[in-house]
Amino acid sequence: MKLVSDISGLREWRNSVSGSVGFVPTMGALHNGHLSLVESSNRTCKHTVVSIYVNPTQFSPNEDLSKYPRNLQADVKKLQHFNVDVLFFPDDKMMYPDGFSTSVSESQLSSKLEGASRPTHFAGVTTVVTKLFNLVEPTHAFFGKKDAQQFRIIRKIVDDLNFDISIIPCEIVRESHGLAHSSRNDYLSIDERKRAGIIHQALKEAEDILKKGERSSRVIRETIRQRISTDALSKIDYVSVADTHSLEEISGRIEKSILVSVAVYFSNVRLIDNFEFIIRE
Ligand code: AMP
């Protein structure tokens, strides 16, 4: 695995290879969710590039940029078990040199769900992902379904801006008690992580009643809210039942495929999770 922190080194490598190149963009503090994306890339592509960059522009001023977990050495060790050609880890000066003044933003999906709570977040994501796509020039890029809205927005900018890149969704990987892996889980104690499994249990309960035929969006939201609220450490930001494509909130009966998603502060750590429920038309 080549460790590359500068753009010229990355371009030099890219010009030296041919065939499929899979790309896994991350913010580091790697866990099994990230590593499953690397595995998918290894299975699908001849080459794999992983990036680690804690992108400041996707954090709001009141968020956890300065204390976001960073551990490059441990990340390098974890990646050595996989077939990674290049680990690209640029710094802020490399990504946003003085005078940087361009932004890429998507305007339909980005204001909903996470975007309502974090208004500048997705413009930060789409700008940095566009830059990384231009630098790595991948044929495939791998994104986790844990960030379901992010995945949809990336797929949208790839369509809208004609990137010749296949965007591959990867399943959510969970800890043993059901909590979706996230670098932010590092902020929680072992006991809190176990208790935060209630978020997944609540979603599963909702999925079960959907499978049994429940079609009231209100009942689905209430079921999730009630279950999560039983733990005093939790404070719900939102519970959403939305059209899986447009992310428009559904107010009445569920008649189309939906994305059911939540954001919950658990012990003050913001956690997200979701599932998709497909209704064949
Ligand atoms: P992050 O480092 O949080 O920006 O995440 C980098 C990539 O890993 C994104 O595509 C995420 O959706 C994906 N990812 C994060 N957590 C998980 C998880 N638990 N399961 C699957 N993919 C994940």
Side-chain angles (χ1 to χ4, degrees):
M1 181 168 74
K2 249 170 126 62
L3 303 188
V4 178
S5 60
D6 63 308
I7 288 171
S8 55
L10 182 66
R11 289 211 195 278
E12 200 179 301
W13 173 82
R14 186 63 183 91
N15 289 332
S16 73
V17 297
S18 59
S20 55
V21 173
F23 178 40
V24 180
T26 81
M27 298 207 298
L30 299 181
H31 50 63
N32 288 345
H34 296 120
L35 298 175
S36 76
L37 271 51
V38 177
E39 243 168 5
S40 284
S41 176
N42 280 174
R43 275 199 305 273
T44 315
C45 296
K46 185 169 163 200
H47 304 284
T48 292
V49 177
V50 175
S51 68
I52 292 181
Y53 179 56
V54 182
N55 173 39
T57 64
Q58 68 191 70
F59 288 77
S60 310
N62 62 342
E63 287 181 342
D64 56 348
L65 174 63
S66 63
K67 64 172 186 137
Y68 193 84
R70 292 165 170 87
N71 195 340
L72 189 64
Q73 261 187 0
D75 288 347
V76 168
K77 253 187 157 163
K78 288 176 193 164
L79 290 173
Q80 272 160 353
H81 300 287
F82 299 85
N83 252 329
V84 178
D85 296 64
V86 173
L87 171 60
F88 180 53
F89 59 105
D91 62 13
D92 291 341
K93 269 217 173 91
M94 189 67 60
M95 292 303 276
Y96 301 109
D98 283 346
F100 186 92
S101 62
T102 300
S103 173
V104 175
S105 62
E106 186 283 334
S107 62
Q108 280 176 19
L109 303 173
S110 298
S111 57
K112 304 185 164 59
L113 304 174
E114 286 296 284
S117 302
R118 311 172 73 194
T120 56
H121 173 66
F122 285 117
V125 171
T126 44
T127 302
V128 82
V129 169
T130 298
K131 280 176 70 74
L132 290 167
F133 281 175
N134 283 330
L135 292 169
V136 176
E137 297 181 54
T139 54
H140 299 70
F142 297 81
F143 289 86
K145 290 188 186 176
K146 198 203 101 191
D147 299 280
Q149 184 178 12
Q150 171 174 280
F151 167 73
R152 285 160 175 72
I153 292 170
I154 300 295
R155 205 172 41 188
K156 188 74 170 53
I157 64 162
V158 162
D159 282 352
D160 285 353
L161 301 179
N162 308 103
F163 282 104
D164 191 11
I165 302 172
S166 304
I167 303 300
I168 315 286
C170 301
E171 294 306 320
I172 301 176
V173 180
R174 299 179 180 281
E175 298 188 358
S176 56
H177 295 280
L179 176 63
H181 276 290
S182 162
S183 304
R184 289 190 168 95
N185 296 356
D186 286 1
Y187 302 143
L188 298 171
S189 69
I190 292 176
D191 183 53
E192 287 169 335
R193 285 180 180 212
K194 203 165 144 184
R195 284 172 64 174
I198 198 165
I199 299 169
H200 179 50
Q201 287 158 26
L203 291 176
K204 272 180 64 171
E205 206 173 311
E207 192 176 17
D208 283 348
I209 61 174
L210 278 160
K211 281 183 181 158
K212 287 183 185 140
E214 179 60 62
R215 289 295 179 267
S216 158
S217 58
R218 187 187 54 77
V219 170
I220 298 303
R221 276 187 213 93
E222 268 315 299
T223 302
I224 295 169
R225 273 188 183 278
Q226 272 177 16
R227 177 58 103 89
I228 293 177
S229 305
T230 57
D231 195 307
L233 289 181
S234 70
K235 197 173 132 243
I236 293 173
D237 183 1
Y238 65 78
V239 175
S240 162
V241 176
D243 180 289
T244 195
H245 304 293
S246 69
L247 300 183
E248 292 290 349
E249 203 60 29
I250 292 177
S251 53
R253 209 180 135 71
I254 299 163
E255 281 167 347
K256 305 185 269 191
S257 298
I258 51 173
L259 177 73
V260 179
S261 61
V262 300
V264 179
Y265 290 94
F266 202 85
S267 214
N268 289 326
V269 178
R270 195 166 183 285
L271 303 171
I272 57 171
D273 205 342
N274 69 82
F275 69 92
E276 197 180 18
F277 185 74
I278 305 286
I279 295 180
R280 311 250 168 242
E281 279 147 40

